[in-house]
């Protein structure tokens, strides 16, 4: 029981830290850097299954792709007070991930971007 309670408390602390970092570190428009962001939230160190789970959360319309419109809200996926990405940030994020040039990010493209 104490181990479970300790785990829950740790998860809450980590979640609060990530939310605060997302809100504070990327509060200024045009300050988003996907490499730093994935490192900061610990996604780079996660398993490929965990990265795929994050992909499914960001793929709000369940199309199997993250489209430009969905990318705008990536910070809100990690913190309810997160801001929308600017058009410049969104286009830069899409350009970095979209290796096949189809205008959207597939799960494999997302996983490769996270691990860069």
């Amino acid at each position: 029981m104490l181990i479970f309670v300790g785990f829950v408390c740790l998860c809450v602390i980590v979640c609060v830290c990530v939310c605060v970092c997302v809100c504070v570190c990327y509060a200024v428009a045009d300050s988003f850097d996907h490499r730093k962001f994935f490192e900061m939230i610990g996604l780079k160190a996660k398993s490929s299954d965990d990265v795929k789970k994050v992909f499914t959360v960001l793929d709000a319309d369940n199309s199997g792709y993250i489209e430009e419109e969905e990318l705008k809200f990536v910070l809100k996926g990690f913190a309810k007070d997160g801001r929308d990405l600017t058009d410049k940030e969104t286009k830069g994020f899409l350009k970095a991930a979209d290796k096949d040039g189809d205008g959207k990010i597939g799960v494999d493209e997302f996983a490769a971007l996270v691990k860069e």
Side-chain angles (χ1 to χ4, degrees):
M1 181 69 174
L2 288 177
I3 294 172
F4 179 72
V5 172
F7 176 74
V8 171
C9 291
L10 179 61
C11 289
V12 170
I13 290 168
V14 169
C15 181
V16 169
C17 289
V18 168
C19 291
V20 169
C21 286
V22 168
C23 291
V24 173
C25 295
Y26 296 108
V28 177
D30 295 325
S31 64
F32 181 77
D33 179 318
H34 65 274
R35 288 180 198 94
K36 290 179 184 175
F37 178 70
F38 292 144
E39 184 73 37
M40 179 187 72
I41 64 170
L43 195 55
K44 287 179 94 95
K46 295 293 184 185
S47 70
S48 59
D49 285 343
D50 286 341
V51 171
K52 288 177 183 180
K53 288 176 188 174
V54 170
F55 176 88
T56 60
V57 170
L58 298 176
D59 176 22
D61 65 0
N62 297 313
S63 67
Y65 296 95
I66 301 172
E67 291 90 5
E68 186 171 344
E69 190 61 30
E70 292 168 317
L71 277 180
K72 288 182 182 182
F73 308 113
V74 71
L75 295 179
K76 289 183 178 179
F78 294 91
K80 73 175 187 161
D81 294 334
R83 66 171 176 83
D84 294 347
L85 296 182
T86 66
D87 287 342
K88 179 180 175 184
E89 290 170 321
T90 302
K91 289 182 188 314
F93 195 176
L94 182 61
K95 183 179 178 183
D98 183 21
K99 300 302 182 192
D100 63 9
D102 64 357
K104 52 193 174 185
I105 302 170
V107 67
D108 292 333
E109 291 172 317
F110 182 74
L113 184 71
V114 167
K115 298 300 179 180
E116 274 185 0

